[in-house]
Amino acid sequence: MGGFDFNVIERSIGYLFREGMTFTLTLTGLAALGGIIFGTLLAMMRLSSHKWLSLPATGYVNLMRSIPLIGSPTPIQVGAVASSVITFTLFEAAYYSEIMRAGIQSIPRGQVWAGYALGLDYWQTMAKVVLPQAFRNMIPILLTQTIILFQDTSLVYVLSITDFLGAASKIAQRDGRLVEMYLFAALVYFLMSFTLSYIVKILQQKIAIIR
Amino acid sequence: MPMIEIKDVSKWYGSFQVLTNCTTNVEKGEVIVVCGPSGSGKSTLIKVVNALEPFQEGNIVVDGIKVNDPKTNLPKLRARVGMVFQHFELFPHLTITQNLTLGQIKVLGRTPEEAKTRGLKYLNRVGLIEQKDKFPGQLSGGQQQRVAIARALSMDPICMLFDEPTSALDPEMINEVLDVMVGLAKEGMTMMVVTHEMGFANKVANRVIFMDRGQIVEDATKADFFGKPRSERAQQFLAKILHH
């Protein structure tokens, strides 16, 4: 047992990012996109005056938010990768829906009236008037949630998928350099999350000025 | 047949009654001013006309179409009724031109070029053509309200509803909006206007409706209303509003 050997990072860095980080970012991107779309639909259902729309959506959101991600079920049997995308999408949709619900509610009633008064129907008013504004107001919070999603994707190790952490872990085991690799992985996650958070902060100030 | 027929309309928010047996007509080409103290239900009355607010009793017929019939195609009906709001309600994420064309393209099916030509014609009319590429937030309140009027006019409405169009404006901006409205009235546009601007009422109104606690207390010609209001409540209101 000698000292630390940080050369292991240099040797494996191509593999770590090419294989691992590519998957982590793809999963984050797909789950965020799917989660925001499904979450927006859930938010619209929850805000509906029809009980048969709002009740199931409320139930879904509350259920998903009260179970741990690792225990959340995947409804269909598919490969590990597809399974991870579906699980994260369904799970994150619950959180994104709460953000979009707040976003929709932040749009003054008069905007909806103005849309209706022009003759737009519900879907047109949503698509052209309410959602673009709601989405823009919520961009910082949506991004913050996506940072959390980015960190959570490391949980795919339970499916033996090679994401960034998975790749680091494989090298660590192979070369017997656990401390070095996990330190490096932590540093990478920290730097990426920190940079994104910083971007969110700048965005927040920009949006505040527009208003 | 009246353009707008309001018959025995009552509305409740829960157990609180906001409108009580309201009945009145607006004939084609008429300008009706609705006034009354705050909380009297005048804004609610104008919003039930194009079903932005539902009501529980009575009937409203606009241009022969029953508003409270579940079979009525409300978007189609609303597209023909122009509406101007207290807080302008321009779409802040769209440019002035996009604000003017959205309804024309999506609802009336006009081509973007057609819609733009028409929208800019009305923007020019309200004197704001040079603002066409700006966003609403870059305009003053009075300018925004004039754009809102142009937006409504671009849809070729058969009548116009105004819900306190000058109440949110700084005093020096009120006249630029009222001037546009007076111009419209003189062209023969059918208008229902909720406002406290008695000068406007005096200039162009055919009739004045006075509301109090959800009821139409007075529905009189302009001369009668300003000359000798029958109800004590309207007299008090006039005294307050004309001598402040």
Side-chain angles (χ1 to χ4, degrees):
Chain A
M1 190 83 188
F4 291 130
D5 173 20
F6 284 98
N7 281 332
V8 65
I9 294 162
E10 211 186 307
R11 289 198 303 273
S12 58
I13 200 156
Y15 168 75
L16 286 177
F17 280 90
R18 237 184 3 257
E19 298 280 315
M21 191 50 87
T22 305
F23 178 82
T24 295
L25 290 179
T26 308
L27 176 58
T28 305
L30 288 177
L33 186 71
I36 288 173
I37 293 171
F38 183 36
T40 303
L41 283 172
L42 281 171
M44 286 162 69
M45 284 170 72
R46 282 196 80 175
L47 292 170
S48 167
S49 52
H50 301 292
K51 283 261 180 295
W52 53 273
L53 280 172
S54 63
L55 281 181
T58 308
Y60 179 87
V61 170
N62 286 335
L63 176 72
M64 279 306 194
R65 295 207 310 159
S66 47
I67 54 175
L69 173 56
I70 226 162
S72 61
T74 306
I76 42 172
Q77 281 304 315
V78 283
V81 172
S83 170
S84 68
V85 173
I86 291 170
T87 307
F88 273 101
T89 300
L90 295 180
F91 190 80
E92 291 298 321
Y95 290 88
Y96 284 123
S97 96
E98 286 295 85
I99 297 170
M100 285 311 291
R101 185 166 71 119
I104 292 169
Q105 283 179 317
S106 76
I107 307 305
R109 193 81 205 280
Q111 287 284 302
V112 180
W113 277 334
Y116 285 164
L118 279 176
L120 301 177
D121 60 27
Y122 171 79
W123 290 102
Q124 290 171 326
T125 305
M126 272 296 170
K128 295 288 168 186
V129 177
V130 178
L131 289 181
Q133 295 185 62
F135 192 76
R136 203 160 73 176
N137 291 351
M138 289 298 129
I139 281 178
I141 308 177
L142 288 169
L143 275 177
T144 304
Q145 182 62 36
T146 306
I147 296 171
I148 299 171
L149 167 63
F150 166 72
Q151 295 163 344
D152 284 352
T153 54
S154 59
L155 282 173
V156 295
Y157 80 87
V158 296
L159 294 167
S160 325
I161 296 173
T162 310
D163 72 324
F164 184 72
L165 187 66
S169 166
K170 275 186 193 169
I171 303 287
Q173 310 280 352
R174 187 195 67 190
D175 294 2
R177 292 289 165 195
L178 296 176
V179 177
E180 293 91 330
M181 282 315 288
Y182 282 127
L183 268 177
F184 177 65
L187 182 72
V188 169
Y189 275 106
F190 170 76
L191 280 179
M192 291 187 71
S193 302
F194 186 79
T195 311
L196 269 169
S197 302
Y198 188 71
I199 293 172
V200 169
K201 212 169 133 189
I202 293 172
L203 269 177
Q204 253 164 347
Q205 284 161 351
K206 272 210 163 151
I207 286 173
I209 293 167
I210 294 167
R211 256 188 243 148
Chain B
M1 185 181 70
M3 182 72 84
I4 301 170
E5 198 179 343
I6 301 172
K7 200 157 189 296
D8 291 326
V9 168
S10 293
K11 174 178 172 63
W12 287 263
Y13 285 120
S15 62
F16 179 69
Q17 189 161 12
V18 273
L19 295 176
T20 308
N21 296 326
C22 293
T23 300
T24 190
N25 289 336
V26 184
E27 300 292 334
K28 191 171 173 3
E30 250 189 334
V31 176
I32 308 292
V33 163
V34 183
C35 61
S38 55
S40 60
K42 51 196 192 310
S43 280
T44 309
L45 183 70
I46 207 161
K47 284 200 188 82
V48 295
V49 170
N50 64 353
L52 289 182
E53 292 270 16
F55 55 96
Q56 285 77 33
E57 276 177 20
N59 282 308
I60 295 181
V61 179
V62 176
D63 196 33
I65 298 161
K66 199 169 152 192
V67 172
N68 50 315
D69 185 338
K71 288 196 285 288
T72 297
N73 183 337
L74 279 181
K76 208 173 151 192
L77 178 70
R78 287 174 181 144
R80 305 176 64 210
V81 179
M83 181 138 192
V84 175
F85 298 88
Q86 183 176 3
H87 296 287
F88 334 131
E89 305 301 352
L90 294 178
F91 305 129
H93 59 301
L94 302 178
T95 64
I96 299 305
T97 304
Q98 288 169 331
N99 265 279
L100 293 166
T101 55
L102 178 65
Q104 296 186 68
I105 295 168
K106 291 282 158 195
V107 179
L108 303 180
R110 289 179 182 154
T111 65
E113 296 76 41
E114 235 181 315
K116 193 173 170 187
T117 310
R118 189 146 208 111
L120 293 185
K121 184 185 114 187
Y122 285 108
L123 190 62
N124 193 33
R125 189 195 146 145
V126 299
L128 293 170
I129 191 75
E130 66 282 4
Q131 315 288 349
K132 65 183 166 65
D133 296 320
K134 289 195 180 158
F135 283 90
Q138 297 170 291
L139 270 54
S140 72
Q143 290 176 325
Q144 289 192 49
Q145 194 61 299
R146 280 146 68 198
V147 172
I149 294 174
R151 177 174 71 178
L153 290 175
S154 308
M155 301 289 288
D156 298 325
I158 53 170
C159 60
M160 292 275 286
L161 308 174
F162 293 83
D163 183 11
E164 303 207 34
T166 58
S167 315
L169 296 174
D170 290 337
E172 73 266 28
M173 291 172 187
I174 290 175
N175 280 332
E176 62 186 73
V177 172
L178 288 180
D179 287 347
V180 173
M181 291 168 62
V182 167
L184 269 181
K186 289 196 167 146
E187 274 172 30
M189 175 62 81
T190 310
M191 292 161 72
M192 191 167 169
V193 185
V194 174
T195 186
H196 288 146
E197 295 297 330
M198 289 300 127
F200 171 80
N202 210 2
K203 213 181 274 178
V204 293
N206 298 98
R207 270 170 36 231
V208 179
I209 288 173
F210 177 76
M211 291 188 72
D212 189 28
R213 294 188 196 118
Q215 285 179 307
I216 294 180
V217 178
E218 194 119 358
D219 184 347
T221 63
K222 175 175 66 183
D224 282 350
F225 184 76
F226 287 114
K228 43 177 179 8
R230 279 164 305 177
S231 68
E232 202 181 317
R233 198 66 193 80
Q235 287 167 12
Q236 288 168 352
F237 179 77
L238 270 179
K240 265 186 209 149
I241 207 161
L242 294 177
H243 304 293
H244 69 86

